[in-house]
Amino acid sequence: PGFGLLPFFMRQRGEWELNLVINESQPLWEYLRCAEKPVVLYGMGDGALKILAVCRQYGIPIAGIFASDEFVRGQVFRGFPVLTYAKVHAAYPDAIVLIAFASERPEILARFFAISRQHETYAPHLPLFGDESVVSPAWLLAHETELEAVYERLADSKSRRVFCDILDYKLSGKLTYLEGVSRRWDDLLTLFSWSDRERYVDLGAYNGDTLREFLALTDGQYEHLDAVEPDPKNFKKLR
């Protein structure tokens, strides 16, 4: 087997059979290290700190940092003045954008994809807690048995495609692999059946966003509900 598609193979009857295919072969960080374009970060916080650390590790220079316009107040983040997207776009029209925070809000996701139409854009997948390993060709091969086991147990072709897309995304950081992965509300309506006898526990309830979602799904009719939020500031929002 060639390395171009980084395939996983399963040996049967003395022959190699293609089982699970990963399309990407070059980790994002290796690509960025060789890219001849300025690299800018979109966002501040834990994600940005993690990306800055990895970029230092790989010798990838960062040209600047920008935030959503509503969060730009002349602040400085790790020595970089925080700019608006318009200023970054004007200063670095050929920049590679690294998204440094996560969101599932439709308006934020729309902003991500809008930026990707103007700039080469990636959303690096990095662990924030615990295990520091990242998805790489070596990681995929080291976990071949476990990945194959999951893939074989998925019940339909769409689930298998999503599984491969997620691995390709984690390896490459490319947004295209996330576009068709899942639509949360559709999943909630099609994968679950809802009744007035639900018992729901929300661990990490934040400000009640998923509670409101649950109430909408059950039309406010349920048997029991618990919400747990350990962060004091978020707990006040939840109350």
Side-chain angles (χ1 to χ4, degrees):
F3 186 71
L5 288 180
L6 188 64
F8 284 74
F9 290 86
M10 180 170 59
R11 185 180 292 279
Q12 292 183 348
R13 297 183 300 279
E15 297 179 356
W16 289 106
E17 290 189 9
L18 184 64
N19 191 32
L20 184 155
V21 175
I22 305 302
N23 293 310
E24 300 294 332
S25 60
Q26 185 180 38
L28 173 62
W29 306 108
E30 291 184 7
Y31 167 73
L32 293 174
R33 184 167 54 183
C34 301
E36 297 181 354
K37 296 180 180 180
V39 177
V40 298
L41 266 59
Y42 175 21
M44 303 171 285
D46 291 342
L49 292 174
K50 191 75 173 182
I51 291 174
L52 286 172
V54 176
C55 285
R56 284 195 298 271
Q57 176 186 341
Y58 281 89
I60 302 166
I62 299 298
I65 293 179
F66 71 97
S68 301
D69 290 356
E70 60 269 27
F71 292 106
V72 177
R73 303 183 183 89
Q75 66 268 56
V76 174
F77 183 79
R78 287 301 186 265
F80 292 92
V82 179
L83 306 175
T84 63
Y85 172 67
K87 288 186 177 180
V88 163
H89 179 63
Y92 308 106
D94 62 339
I96 295 174
V97 174
L98 301 183
I99 297 172
F101 65 100
S103 178
E104 64 176 358
R105 290 167 55 187
E107 68 274 18
I108 301 299
L109 295 177
R111 189 177 298 171
F112 290 167
F113 288 110
I115 291 173
S116 72
R117 289 191 289 271
Q118 292 187 302
H119 288 269
E120 191 177 344
T121 302
Y122 301 93
H125 181 268
L126 288 170
L128 291 179
F129 309 102
D131 186 1
E132 291 294 314
S133 59
V134 296
V135 176
S136 65
W139 185 93
L140 291 170
L141 292 173
H143 293 278
E144 176 180 355
T145 301
E146 297 96 325
L147 293 168
E148 286 282 9
V150 173
Y151 183 83
E152 287 300 312
R153 284 165 174 76
L154 296 174
D156 57 89
S157 59
K158 180 179 179 181
S159 295
R160 295 189 184 100
R161 179 187 58 76
V162 168
F163 185 70
C164 294
D165 283 350
I166 290 172
L167 291 173
D168 272 322
Y169 156 68
K170 289 185 176 184
L171 184 64
S172 69
K174 293 179 180 178
L175 298 183
T176 50
Y177 290 113
L178 299 179
E179 288 185 281
V181 163
S182 180
R183 300 184 186 279
R184 177 179 175 81
W185 191 256
D186 292 344
D187 287 346
L188 289 170
L189 292 175
T190 57
L191 297 178
F192 301 93
S193 57
W194 302 93
S195 74
D196 59 0
R197 299 183 62 187
E198 306 298 337
R199 300 179 62 84
Y200 180 57
V201 180
D202 191 339
L203 301 177
Y206 183 45
N207 64 2
D209 52 351
T210 47
L211 293 180
R212 288 189 288 273
E213 187 175 69
F214 172 76
L215 293 173
L217 289 163
T218 60
D219 197 25
Q221 304 298 313
Y222 58 91
E223 187 169 312
H224 187 77
L225 187 155
D226 283 307
V228 179
E229 174 50 56
D231 182 81
K233 291 182 179 179
N234 289 336
F235 181 69
K236 289 181 179 179
K237 298 176 184 177
L238 179 62
R239 289 289 294 270

